[in-house]
Amino acid sequence: MPLFVLLLILDVITLFLFKYIGFFTESVNDFFGLSLPVPEIALPIGISFFTFQIMSYAIDAWRDHRLIQDRFSDLLLYISFFPQLIAGPIVRYSDIAAQLKERSATPREEAQGLRRFIIGLAKKVLISNTMAVVADALFAQAAAENLSMPEAWLASAAYGFQIYYDFSGYSDMAIGMGHMFGFHFLENFNYPYTATSVSDFWRRWHISLSTWFREYVYIPLGGNRKGMGRTVLNLFIVFLLTGLWHGANWTFLVWGLYYAFFMIAERLQIIPTKKIRFQPLKWLYTVFVVFTGFIIFRADNLSQGWGILRSLFCFSTLDSVGFSGALSHLDPYTLFILFAAILFSAPIAKKIWEKLRDKKYAEGLSYAGAVGLLAVCMIFLVTDSYNPFIYFNF
């Protein structure tokens, strides 16, 4: 028991020193008017992901001693498996322990994994990168001047689709590569923009992270088993930590507290999502909360975030000048990609595939389509500038 606790403490301290010590020192200096030296420590790429996986092994093995890994090489494989090492999804040890010992990869499974990889690549290269151009331009503009209401909402939508297709694309690529090696990872996204409550959104968005916090923080703290007061406190702690996990910036902390407010409000039925029967209204509410929250998440600082949030509701700029400013960022190709982003954020393609996959020609056609997508992606990669995955930063 003491060794287990010591291991968890060392993991947390390591994460704190590399990721948060600079932010903590700057905050202390600002609050107390001090001039303590701010350490400049290079942040290892993906440290949040592999630290959480190390903690997952420690906790799962402590809970069930049968999961203790007797081969150090297999433990290293779990911690450092390259497809999902630097940007997720977070793979819990209990979900993959058996696969570390025994797995197989048939030619058909490898082909399916490659197809999944290409779909993820297309999400990133064709949709996310295009939305990134719009989002980056508008957030850069917001740093110099106030946005109009149409521009602010376009910035929110562009970044919302950028981060979704960026991270779900990487998750698809990681799941696909894992499949090629005989590993079967759990899904990390389940059409989050179709959610009808904030709680539902977090059951669909970054599922591996929300599951990690549920299994290793929320439930051990008592979950919802110790009364409403304790449940509210547990939700507050979980989303405070969720915000901090994303980065050493006040914007992430506020973003986490923002979601804590809505999660608690829904649990207390202050926002009565369970009583509302009109599904489109519940969906509109959820999309409004999520896309507004992305302004806080993306902003360089709280001041910029607050400025854009005010612009979202600045009706005096809802005029021809405001609309023309927004439309100046949308050429025909970008409009087409924006339409595709909206379309594929719903399970339309999935339902079509479910109807067609039993047809004799369906699988061959899907692989032909994947090859075509790969060719298009290669063309864009050759001509495009470097645009890293967003979650490399976390």
Side-chain angles (χ1 to χ4, degrees):
M1 178 67 174
L3 185 61
F4 164 71
V5 174
L6 178 62
L7 178 59
L8 294 185
I9 291 173
L10 288 175
D11 286 334
V12 172
I13 289 175
T14 301
L15 187 60
F16 175 81
L17 289 176
F18 277 101
K19 192 169 182 179
Y20 302 104
I21 187 64
F23 170 69
F24 177 78
T25 306
E26 288 178 353
S27 299
V28 170
N29 285 342
D30 292 341
F31 188 80
F32 293 104
L34 302 177
S35 55
L36 299 174
V38 179
E40 294 185 5
I41 303 176
L43 182 67
I45 190 169
I47 186 171
S48 297
F49 289 96
F50 60 75
T51 301
F52 269 31
Q53 292 203 176
I54 294 171
M55 295 174 71
S56 174
Y57 169 73
I59 297 170
D60 287 349
W62 178 71
R63 287 175 174 175
D64 184 353
H65 289 195
R66 292 173 299 178
L67 294 177
I68 294 176
Q69 185 55 250
D70 53 3
R71 294 181 59 185
F72 186 57
S73 59
D74 285 348
L75 178 59
L76 290 180
L77 173 61
Y78 163 67
I79 295 171
S80 61
F81 189 51
F82 76 91
Q84 44 75 231
L85 172 65
I86 53 179
I90 303 168
V91 177
R92 290 189 302 151
Y93 179 74
S94 57
D95 292 333
I96 201 176
Q99 298 177 51
L100 290 169
K101 295 182 178 295
E102 185 177 351
R103 60 191 176 276
S104 63
T106 65
R108 183 175 184 181
E109 288 177 328
E110 291 177 352
Q112 290 172 344
L114 181 59
R115 181 179 60 191
R116 182 70 179 268
F117 176 90
I118 293 171
I119 291 172
L121 179 66
K123 284 183 176 181
K124 166 62 176 172
V125 173
L126 303 181
I127 300 180
S128 179
N129 285 1
T130 302
M131 292 294 97
V133 173
V134 179
D136 290 348
L138 286 166
F139 275 89
Q141 181 182 332
E145 61 184 49
N146 291 330
L147 299 179
S148 67
M149 186 177 177
E151 288 173 330
W153 280 107
L154 178 59
S156 173
Y159 185 71
F161 287 120
Q162 177 197 355
I163 192 172
Y164 170 59
Y165 284 101
D166 182 287
F167 194 25
S168 69
Y170 186 92
S171 295
D172 286 339
M173 294 168 72
I175 291 170
M177 282 194 287
H179 211 76
M180 286 187 270
F181 289 99
F183 289 95
H184 296 84
F185 300 145
L186 299 179
E187 295 296 332
N188 204 26
F189 289 86
N190 182 24
Y191 300 100
Y193 293 161
T194 65
T196 53
S197 69
V198 174
S199 302
D200 186 28
F201 172 78
W202 276 102
R203 285 190 290 269
R204 296 168 176 269
W205 175 274
H206 201 344
I207 298 170
S208 63
L209 179 66
S210 57
T211 301
W212 197 97
F213 275 113
R214 185 187 71 230
E215 295 296 323
Y216 301 134
V217 180
Y218 181 71
I219 292 177
L221 286 174
N224 58 0
R225 305 185 306 275
K226 297 186 177 182
M228 186 57 71
R230 186 65 173 270
T231 299
V232 168
L233 177 61
N234 293 342
L235 286 171
F236 178 85
I237 292 171
V238 164
F239 280 92
L240 175 67
L241 294 175
T242 300
L244 283 173
W245 179 87
H246 281 86
N249 194 318
W250 285 105
T251 55
F252 297 124
L253 179 63
V254 171
W255 179 77
L257 295 176
Y258 171 85
Y259 272 107
F261 168 80
F262 284 101
M263 291 290 288
I264 292 169
E266 289 184 5
R267 181 60 63 93
L268 296 175
Q269 287 298 297
I270 296 172
I271 301 176
T273 53
K274 294 181 180 179
K275 296 180 181 179
I276 299 173
R277 300 303 178 192
F278 189 56
Q279 295 296 315
L281 179 61
K282 295 167 67 173
W283 173 78
L284 285 172
Y285 148 73
T286 307
V287 168
F288 173 82
V289 171
V290 169
F291 279 78
T292 301
F294 278 136
I295 293 294
I296 306 170
F297 188 92
R298 170 60 174 79
D300 296 328
N301 50 62
L302 290 177
S303 177
Q304 185 194 50
W306 175 243
I308 301 175
L309 287 175
R310 285 186 301 173
S311 297
L312 289 175
F313 308 102
C314 187
F315 290 94
S316 63
T317 60
L318 191 62
D319 52 21
S320 59
V321 176
F323 278 107
S324 63
L327 289 173
S328 66
H329 295 278
L330 297 173
D331 55 52
Y333 173 73
T334 305
L335 273 172
F336 171 76
I337 294 297
L338 178 58
F339 175 77
I342 296 171
L343 182 67
F344 291 117
S345 65
I348 296 173
K350 179 182 178 182
K351 290 180 179 178
I352 293 174
W353 172 245
E354 287 174 350
K355 291 183 178 180
L356 295 179
R357 64 183 175 186
D358 292 332
K359 306 290 184 181
K360 291 182 179 180
Y361 59 83
E363 189 164 10
L365 189 62
S366 71
Y367 288 120
V371 171
L373 267 181
L374 179 61
V376 174
C377 288
M378 295 300 292
I379 293 171
F380 275 80
L381 286 171
V382 168
T383 59
D384 201 4
S385 59
Y386 176 64
N387 198 329
F389 288 94
I390 293 173
Y391 270 71
F392 278 3
N393 299 319
F394 308 136

